[in-house]
Every structure is written in C-alpha cells, then in structure tokens.
Amino acid sequence: MAMPELCQLAQRGDLPRIRAVLASSPCSDRLLDTRHRKSGDSVLHYAARHGQVAVLRYVCEDCGLSPETGNVDGKRPLHEAAQAGHTECVRYLVGRSVQIDVLKRADWTPIMLACTKTNLTVVKLLREAGADLTIRNKDGWNCFHIACREGDVNILNYLLDCDSTLWDSVSTNGRTPLHTASLHGRVGAANILLQRYLFDEHGLPVDTPASGSGLTALHFAAKEGQTNAVKLILRFGSSANTKDGKGRTALHMASGGQHAECVRVLLNNEAQDGPDCSGNTAEHLARKQAVKEIFSQLH
C-alpha cells in the first residue's frame, strides 16, 4: 500500500486496518517511514492533525516512530495537534516529553499555533508543560499577540494571569497587541487590554502610536471599518483627531475605506475634517455616495 493510503487510514483513525496492512507488509518499517512527497508529512503528522490519538500512540509505542519527527516546514506532531486543537493528542505528546518550544518555519511554537484557535485546555496543557509565552516569531509576535488577533477572551485572560507583562510587546512592524485587536475588530480583546492596563501603573495610553506609521488603535479600527472597536476605543478616551505620521486622522481612514458607519460615529464624536500631509481631506477621500451623504448631513 502506498503511503498516501496509509495516511488516509491514519486520518480516519482506522487502527485495525493499519495493523493489518503493516502486518502483511514485508517492509513495514520502510512503509511507516515513507513521507508525503511535497510536505514531508508522516503518519504521525496525519494522526496528530486529525485527532487520532489511538493511531498516534500505536505508531509511537508499538512501531517505534519518534514523536519528534518533522516535516519540510519543521512542523512536528505537537505543532499539528496544537494547531488543530486536539486536546488528547496534545496531552499524549506532552506526556511523551516532546520538545515544547520547538520552532517550525517562520519561528512558530506549538503554543503560538494553539492561540490561533479557541481551545483553552490545549493552551493550558502546553503552558503547564513549560511553554515559553515570550518567544517571538519572525514577525515579532508572541503567543499573546497572536491570541489578540484571534480574540478569544478566555485564552487572553489566562495568558495575562500567567504573565501580566505580555500586553507590553511590539511586533516587527511596530504594532502593540491593542493595535492588532483593534485592526481585526476583536472588541473583547481590546476591552480586556484597556480595562486591565489603561489606568494602572504600567500605563497603556489609548492613543499610543505604532512605531514607524504613527497609527493608533483608533486609526487601525477605522481603517478596517471595525465600528464596534471604534466605539469602544472612543469610550476609553481616544481622541478622534489624533494624526498619524502622514497627518491622517481616523476620519481619513474610515472615509478612504468607504466605511460609512465608522465615519458617522467619528463625526458624532467631534472628529474634525482637515487636510492631511498630501492635502487630502476625509471628505475628498469619500468616493461612495453613502459616505458623502454623511458629510453633507452633518455640515
């Protein structure tokens, strides 16, 4: 049987058939060690990715495959199980004392991948096994920054309870977790950050600019039309008229993106239209009639 077929059995969790195939093969070791031609995935990767813990246990314990097997991207079974949120596979692999902070290509650890999903149990298992929450990937993001992008409030609160300094990080492009949460409209995440850190001794000014661009959380939210995030940030004292490095306000961002409701909210919160460094006003940037009408109604 060719390797892809064996992997299909692993995906389905058909352990009896896998046993039968290997028992009937004169070269079972070579069959098990065969990889997907392009990805380099092994039976272990397929089992972990699809949550087949019985297959994972069998090929590790009975067949002797190493749970540290990597594919061409450097992903190991723990990466696969964590990314897919398969609790029992993660529990099994952690119990085998695999490397917790092993990096795949682009410097992603298993806990970073776990934070792209909503399975708090997996995150806890990795943390309790010693996962480092402060490791950063090639983009300068740690697992908390990634969790802010996804917005699961349970994971965010847990990570902050483990390390209350995680909020204070900056990505390679100069964004804080608050910037990222605002950009993606993760209102729950932004609310946690603002409630927990805006007024404490650390100080998280709501209008802290991203280094380089000068964009604030309000700019990012308005740019993507994240109306609820815009409303939240304004409630926490953001100035509707803060300018970025090019002289643009959030109103420029919302108008340029044709986000009519964001434009309405900003104008109702004392946003003032004026020229940016290129001489463009927000009203000039409004191309859609719906956005233009808002300006005309409020003039």
Side-chain angles (χ1 to χ4, degrees), residues 234-285:
L234 288 168
R235 284 203 303 272
F236 274 92
S238 176
S239 170
N241 295 303
T242 300
K243 295 182 178 181
D244 71 356
K246 297 181 179 179
R248 301 172 298 181
T249 66
L251 191 59
H252 286 94
M253 296 296 186
S255 294
Q258 311 307 303
H259 303 304
E261 190 56 31
C262 280
V263 169
R264 190 187 306 278
V265 169
L266 289 163
L267 288 171
N268 285 333
N269 281 270
E270 302 181 352
Q272 298 174 2
D273 193 8
D276 61 16
C277 294
S278 299
N280 295 313
T281 66
E283 188 170 2
H284 291 152
L285 296 173

Side-chain angles (χ1 to χ4, degrees), residues 202-218:
H202 298 293
L204 178 63
V206 68
D207 285 330
T208 296
S211 57
S213 68
L215 297 173
T216 67
L218 187 63

Side-chain angles (χ1 to χ4, degrees), residues 78-247:
L78 186 60
H79 287 110
E80 298 285 2
Q83 184 173 11
H86 293 310
T87 302
E88 293 310 311
C89 286
V90 171
R91 195 188 310 277
Y92 172 74
L93 290 165
V94 166
R96 296 278 296 184
S97 299
V98 297
Q99 295 182 58
I100 298 300
D101 290 324
V102 64
L103 299 174
K104 80 170 191 71
R105 185 177 295 178
D107 300 335
W108 283 64
T109 64
I111 199 167
M112 288 178 183
L113 292 170
C115 286
T116 66
K117 297 297 186 289
T118 60
N119 191 328
L120 177 59
T121 302
V122 167
V123 174
K124 285 183 174 180
L125 283 170
L126 294 168
R127 174 57 180 167
E128 290 165 1
D132 186 340
L133 305 181
T134 65
I135 293 175
R136 301 190 182 202
N137 64 17
K138 69 177 182 63
D139 296 316
W141 287 14
N142 58 30
C143 63
F144 182 72
H145 217 134
I146 293 165
C148 283
R149 184 190 68 185
E150 303 303 321
D152 187 283
V153 296
N154 294 318
I155 290 176
L156 289 170
N157 278 319
Y158 172 74
L159 293 174
L160 286 172
D161 288 342
C162 290
D163 183 349
S164 62
T165 69
L166 287 171
W167 67 270
D168 189 16
S169 63
V170 179
S171 67
T172 302
N173 60 6
R175 295 178 189 168
T176 67
L178 178 60
H179 293 142
T180 296
S182 303
L183 176 69
H184 293 277
R186 305 307 187 190
V187 176
N191 189 51
I192 288 171
L193 287 164
L194 291 168
Q195 282 192 340
R196 290 182 68 153
Y197 298 105
L198 182 60
F199 300 113
D200 75 359
E201 69 276 10
H202 298 293
L204 178 63
V206 68
D207 285 330
T208 296
S211 57
S213 68
L215 297 173
T216 67
L218 187 63
H219 282 98
F220 283 116
K223 179 182 179 182
E224 296 301 320
Q226 305 291 0
T227 305
N228 289 332
V230 166
K231 291 177 179 178
L232 174 74
I233 297 162
L234 288 168
R235 284 203 303 272
F236 274 92
S238 176
S239 170
N241 295 303
T242 300
K243 295 182 178 181
D244 71 356
K246 297 181 179 179

Side-chain angles (χ1 to χ4, degrees), residues 35-42 45-46 49 70-75:
R35 307 293 190 88
H36 188 278
R37 184 171 57 86
K38 292 184 178 179
S39 67
D41 287 340
S42 67
H45 290 87
Y46 282 93
R49 186 181 304 149
N71 65 11
V72 296
D73 287 328
K75 290 181 78 173

Side-chain angles (χ1 to χ4, degrees), residues 14-42:
D14 192 344
L15 187 53
R17 179 63 180 154
I18 290 174
R19 290 178 184 272
V21 168
L22 293 175
S24 64
S25 173
C27 51
S28 59
D29 289 346
R30 186 167 23 175
L31 184 61
L32 272 170
D33 197 41
T34 304
R35 307 293 190 88
H36 188 278
R37 184 171 57 86
K38 292 184 178 179
S39 67
D41 287 340
S42 67

Side-chain angles (χ1 to χ4, degrees), residues 2-12 34 41-43 46:
M3 181 62 182
E5 296 176 276
L6 193 62
C7 290
Q8 288 176 10
L9 296 174
Q11 288 179 193
R12 296 200 300 267
T34 304
D41 287 340
S42 67
V43 172
Y46 282 93

